[in-house]
Amino acid sequence: MGAENTPGGKASPDPQDMRPSVFHNIKLFVLCHSLLQLAQLMISGYLKSSISTVEKRFGLSSQTSGLLVSFNEVGNTALIVFVSYFGSRVHRPRMIGYGAILVALAGLLMTLPHFISEPYRYDNTSPEDMPQDFKASLCLPTTSAPARTHSNGNCSSYTETRHLSVVGIMFVAQTLLGVGGVPIQPFGISYIDDFAHNSNSPLYLGILFAVTMMGPGLAFGLGSLMLRLYVDINQMPEGGISLTIKDPRWVGAWWLGFLIAAGSVALAAIPYFFFPKEMPKEKHELQFRRKVLAVTDSPARKGKDSPSKQSPGESTKKQDGLVQIAPNLTVIQFIKVFPRVLLQTLRHPIFLLVVLSQVCLSSMAAGMATFLPKFLERQFSITASYANLLIGCLSFPSVIVGIVVGGVLVKRLHLGPVGCGALCLLGMLLCLFFSLPLFFIGCPSHQIAGITHQTSAQPGPELFPSCMEVCSCPSDGFNPVCDPSTRVEYITPCHAGCSSRVVQDALDKSQVFYTNCSCVAEGNPVMAGSCDSTCSHLVVPFLLLVSLGSALACLTHTPSFMLILRGVKKEDKTLAVGIQFMFLRILAWMPSPVIHGSAIDTTCVHWALSCGRRAVCRYYNNDLLRNRFIGLQFFFKTGSVICFALVLAILRQQNKEARTKESRSSPAVEQQLLVSGPGKKPEDSRV
C-alpha cells in the first residue's frame, strides 16, 4: 500500500514498503478495532442484562447493584484525562492490546464469585434435602420449630465475611473493566485518523461506530440465552431441580455470559501486538467512496459553510489546544494547566447548556439500560430471558436508527447552529410527549396474603393470617404458591397452611399442588409458583413506546455534538469533547444507576432477610414502581428540554445581535461609497 505509480508501472522503492506486512494496513486495523470495541461493549453491557439475577443470587438491593454498575466508570473516569497526555508517547496498538487483556481478565474475575460460592439453595435448605422445597415449606407443628431455624444457624462471621468477599470481588472486577477500557477507544480513533487517508477517515470511523453500537444489543441477546440455563449447570444436584424458568426463584447462568464475552475480548486483542507503532499513511481515497460522493454529495460540496462539512485539512487542524501542547509538558505541568483550560472552556454558555442537556439524557439512558430488564420482569411478570430478548430486538436498534437519522437530517438540511438547536428541542419535546402514556401502561400488584395491605416492609409473624399460627413457618422462606380461585399469592405453602404436596404428571411437564391448606377458602389446593399476570401482553406496546422515545431522544446526538464543536473556540474543540465525556461520566453514568436503584428500593413491600440483614426484594408495589421509575426518566427528559430551549433562545439572540450589527454597519458603507465619488462607485460596489 501507499505505492506511487512509476513510468515502468512498478512501485517506488520506499524503505517502508521494502518490509511488507499484512499488519501495515489501516483497513485491517479498522476491522480489528471494530470487533474489539464490539466485544468490549458486550462484556461491559452484559451485567445490565443479568442485574436482577445477580441480585437474587447474592442477596443485593437495587441500590447496591446500581453502585456495582457505576464502578465500571470509576476507573475509566480516573484515568481518561491522561490519555491526551500519553497519547503520542506510547505504542498505541500495544496499549490497546494490554487494555483488552485487562478487560478479559476482569471478565473472568466477574465469574469467580460463582465458583467460590456454595451451590444455589433456592429455599434456604440444607444440601441433603432433595428436592429442596418439599418438606421444608410445608405446615408442620410448632414443636418442630427448632429444626426450622437451621438456615439462620449457618449465619456466622465466616458466612458474612465470605459474602462481603464475593461482593468485593465483583466491585474490583467492574473497576478493572473500566480501567482496561481507557486506552481502547481514544487510541484506536486517533490511530485511524493519523494513518488513514483524510477522505477515508470519516468513513472508517463511521464503520467503527456502526459495528460498535451492536455491542449492547448482543449483550442483551447473550443474556437472554444464558439466563435460560440454570445457574449451577456445572454442578447440578443428583435429583435435579424442581424449578422452571418462570419460577420467581429461578436464577440463570449469569456467569457463563461473562466467560463467553471475556474469551471474545481476549481473541480480539491478539492482533494488536503485531500492529506497528506507526504505519505508512494511506495515500489513496477509496474508489467506491468517490462514486458515492459524486452522486450524493455534489450539491453539498457547494455549501462549504455547512456545519456538518469539514475540509480534510480542518480535521487535522482540529487537533490544536491542550492535546497538541501535552507532549511538551511534564505530568505535573499537565495537571496544573488542565483546571485553567477547563474553567476557560466552561465559560461558553452554549457548551455548558448542551453538556448539561446531554448529562440529563445520559442519566436517563444509564438508568434505563441498567434497570429496564428488571422493571419489565417485575411490572409485567415476565422472565428475565424474555425481557432481555425484547430489549435487544427493539430498544437498541431504535437507538441506532435515531442516531443515524439525526446525522442524516443535519447533513441533508445543512443545519446551522440554530437549526441544530431546533432539531434537538423538537426531538426531546416529542420524546417527552410519548413518555406520558408510560405512566398508565402496567400491571397491578399481586395480592400477597399478609403483605399487600400492610405498611411495614419487614416480614414477621404479625403480617400473616392467624390461621398459620399453628405452623412453624420460617420468616425467611420463599416458595410462592397461588390460589387460582381468588388469585391470592402466599409466600410459602406453610403460610397458606398447607400440610401435603401432590404432583400431577402431564405430557410435557408436571404440575405441583399443595393440599390441606387451612388458610385457603374452602381448603382448596394451591398451585406452586406465583400467580400469572393478566396483563403481560402489555409489555410489547410499553416497550414500543420506550423504543420510540429512545429513537427521538437519540435524534439529538449529532446536532448536539455539532453545537459543542461550534460553541467553543477552534483551538479548544478537542479539549471540549474530552471535557464533555468527562462530565457525562461523572454526572450521569456514575450516579444515575445508584439513583434509579435507590428509587426502586423505596417501592419494595417485602424484603428477604439473610442473617438478619436486608437482602433482595421479593415483592414490589407495581404502581409505585412504575410511577417512580418512569417519573425519574420524565424528570431527566424535562431537564434536557429546558436546557435545549435555553440553547435555542441564546442562539436566536446571538443571530439577532449579529443582524443588528450588520444593519448598523451597512449605512456607513453606503455613505463611504457616496463620498468616494461616482467614478469609483462601480469598483467599490463589489464590497
Side-chain angles (χ1 to χ4, degrees):
M1 63 168 283
E4 299 288 345
N5 292 330
T6 60
K10 295 182 180 180
S12 59
D14 189 11
Q16 290 182 333
D17 293 330
M18 297 295 290
R19 42 193 182 103
S21 171
V22 68
F23 291 101
H24 286 71
N25 190 327
I26 195 63
K27 299 182 184 66
L28 179 62
F29 185 88
V30 172
L31 173 63
C32 293
H33 205 62
S34 300
L35 295 177
L36 176 60
Q37 289 200 181
L38 176 71
Q40 182 210 357
L41 278 189
M42 184 168 66
I43 194 172
S44 62
Y46 180 75
L47 178 62
K48 299 178 179 65
S49 71
S50 55
I51 198 72
S52 62
T53 301
V54 173
E55 288 180 7
K56 280 191 286 187
R57 178 64 181 92
F58 299 106
L60 306 179
S61 64
S62 294
Q63 184 183 40
T64 304
S65 61
L67 185 63
L68 178 62
V69 172
S70 299
F71 260 68
N72 194 347
E73 307 294 336
V74 171
N76 200 306
T77 305
L79 299 177
I80 194 68
V81 176
F82 294 96
V83 169
S84 58
Y85 174 75
F86 291 107
S88 58
R89 302 187 176 199
V90 298
H91 194 299
R92 283 175 289 182
R94 288 182 185 173
M95 288 300 296
I96 294 173
Y98 294 143
I101 293 298
L102 183 59
V103 168
L105 293 176
L108 295 177
L109 188 61
M110 277 294 297
T111 67
L112 184 60
H114 167 75
F115 295 100
I116 66 176
S117 300
E118 292 183 352
Y120 173 54
R121 307 297 171 195
Y122 47 81
D123 198 34
N124 296 326
T125 57
S126 58
E128 57 268 13
D129 291 334
M130 294 296 175
Q132 298 177 3
D133 60 347
F134 182 27
K135 293 183 179 180
S137 298
L138 296 179
C139 178
L140 300 177
T142 55
T143 55
S144 305
R148 306 294 286 269
T149 62
H150 62 269
S151 61
N152 285 332
N154 292 332
C155 294
S156 61
S157 59
Y158 171 75
T159 305
E160 284 297 290
T161 302
R162 185 176 57 188
H163 172 78
L164 293 176
S165 301
V166 164
V167 176
I169 288 173
M170 290 191 290
F171 273 92
V172 172
Q174 282 296 104
T175 305
L176 292 179
L177 273 178
V179 172
V182 167
I184 293 178
Q185 186 175 16
F187 285 169
I189 291 176
S190 64
Y191 194 82
I192 293 173
D193 192 56
D194 284 349
F195 302 116
H197 190 278
N198 290 335
S199 300
N200 296 338
S201 179
L203 176 63
Y204 292 155
L205 295 179
I207 294 173
L208 174 67
F209 179 75
V211 175
T212 300
M213 281 299 295
M214 294 188 293
L218 289 179
F220 278 84
L222 180 64
S224 177
L225 292 175
M226 297 300 103
L227 296 184
R228 297 181 64 88
L229 306 174
Y230 185 62
V231 61
D232 290 324
I233 189 173
N234 60 323
Q235 44 183 353
M236 292 284 284
E238 294 182 2
I241 58 172
S242 57
L243 290 182
T244 63
I245 191 174
K246 294 183 178 181
D247 196 298
R249 298 170 296 169
W250 175 271
V251 172
W254 61 273
W255 54 274
L256 198 53
F258 277 110
L259 283 181
I260 296 175
S264 302
V265 173
L267 289 177
I270 295 176
Y272 287 89
F273 296 99
F274 300 96
F275 282 107
K277 182 178 181 179
E278 296 180 354
M279 67 171 61
K281 187 173 179 66
E282 195 177 28
K283 296 184 179 181
H284 300 291
E285 185 179 3
L286 296 177
Q287 291 185 0
F288 85 92
R289 185 182 182 279
R290 294 177 185 173
K291 297 178 182 179
V292 172
L293 290 179
V295 176
T296 61
D297 281 357
S298 55
R301 287 175 182 251
K302 298 178 182 179
K304 294 186 179 180
D305 294 333
S306 171
S308 59
K309 292 291 291 179
Q310 290 182 345
S311 63
E314 193 176 325
S315 63
T316 57
K317 292 178 182 179
K318 190 172 66 175
Q319 303 297 327
D320 297 336
L322 185 64
V323 176
Q324 282 293 325
I325 67 174
N328 300 323
L329 301 177
T330 65
V331 178
I332 303 300
Q333 292 173 334
F334 178 80
I335 295 175
K336 288 181 179 180
V337 76
F338 179 77
R340 186 171 66 252
V341 184
L342 172 63
L343 293 176
Q344 180 181 352
T345 306
L346 292 179
R347 291 179 182 177
H348 302 283
I350 299 298
F351 172 79
L352 188 59
L353 285 172
V354 173
V355 168
L356 287 178
S357 68
Q358 290 186 338
V359 165
C360 292
L361 283 175
S362 297
S363 298
M364 176 198 73
M368 186 70 77
T370 304
F371 289 109
L372 183 59
K374 178 177 180 175
F375 176 83
L376 297 179
E377 291 176 49
R378 298 294 186 163
Q379 188 68 214
F380 300 100
S381 298
I382 61 176
T383 64
S385 175
Y386 184 49
N388 286 328
L389 180 64
L390 288 176
I391 294 172
C393 293
L394 294 178
S395 294
F396 281 102
S398 69
V399 169
I400 299 175
V401 170
I403 294 175
V404 172
V405 171
V408 170
L409 290 177
V410 172
K411 174 82 172 177
R412 294 301 170 205
L413 300 180
H414 307 296
L415 297 179
V418 175
C420 288
L423 178 60
C424 291
L425 182 59
L426 178 62
M428 287 311 303
L429 283 174
L430 291 175
C431 176
L432 203 63
F433 174 76
F434 284 107
S435 297
L436 290 174
L438 298 179
F439 286 100
F440 309 101
I441 302 178
C443 298
S445 302
H446 289 173
Q447 186 176 354
I448 314 298
I451 292 180
T452 304
H453 302 293
Q454 298 289 334
T455 57
S456 174
Q458 293 295 332
E462 68 276 2
L463 297 182
F464 302 105
S466 57
C467 56
M468 45 77 63
E469 290 181 354
V470 297
C471 309
S472 57
C473 301
S475 59
D476 57 346
F478 186 65
N479 179 19
V481 293
C482 177
D483 180 7
S485 59
T486 60
R487 302 193 62 80
V488 175
E489 189 169 320
Y490 300 86
I491 295 180
T492 67
C494 180
H495 291 90
C498 303
S499 58
S500 59
R501 175 176 179 267
V502 177
V503 179
Q504 291 184 356
D505 293 327
L507 293 177
D508 53 344
K509 62 178 181 179
S510 59
Q511 178 66 54
V512 178
F513 290 91
Y514 293 91
T515 58
N516 300 330
C517 305
S518 58
C519 295
V520 180
E522 301 179 359
N524 293 329
V526 294
M527 297 187 303
S530 296
C531 296
D532 293 332
S533 177
T534 57
C535 59
S536 296
H537 59 282
L538 294 178
V539 65
V540 175
F542 180 91
L543 202 55
L544 285 175
L545 278 176
V546 170
S547 302
L548 179 59
S550 301
L552 291 170
C554 289
L555 281 177
T556 67
H557 182 271
T558 300
S560 64
F561 192 76
M562 300 308 299
L563 285 174
I564 287 179
L565 295 179
R566 299 296 176 264
V568 297
K569 295 180 180 179
K570 186 176 181 180
E571 62 270 15
D572 293 336
K573 288 182 180 180
T574 304
L575 180 65
V577 174
I579 293 174
Q580 171 201 10
F581 284 107
M582 185 180 70
F583 271 93
L584 293 184
R585 292 181 186 278
I586 295 176
L587 300 180
W589 292 99
M590 287 174 62
S592 181
V594 182
I595 294 172
H596 281 79
S598 301
I600 291 174
D601 283 342
T602 61
T603 66
C604 183
V605 295
H606 179 64
W607 290 93
L609 295 180
S610 176
C611 297
R613 64 173 179 83
R614 197 175 72 174
V616 66
C617 182
R618 298 295 193 192
Y619 294 106
Y620 292 92
N621 183 321
N622 279 2
D623 293 330
L624 276 179
L625 176 63
R626 182 174 63 255
N627 291 334
R628 293 183 182 177
F629 184 76
I630 301 300
L632 201 53
Q633 297 280 305
F634 196 85
F635 170 78
F636 287 123
K637 293 175 185 176
T638 304
S640 182
V641 167
I642 294 174
C643 290
F644 279 131
L646 292 175
V647 167
L648 186 59
I650 293 176
L651 289 173
R652 285 182 172 178
Q653 182 65 27
Q654 290 177 350
N655 277 7
K656 185 178 179 180
E657 293 176 356
R659 286 195 299 267
T660 303
K661 290 181 179 179
E662 290 177 1
S663 63
R664 289 177 179 175
S665 60
S666 56
V669 174
E670 293 177 1
Q671 185 177 4
Q672 186 178 5
L673 292 174
L674 291 174
V675 172
S676 63
K680 295 183 179 180
K681 186 174 181 180
E683 285 184 4
D684 295 342
S685 63
R686 290 178 298 176
V687 177

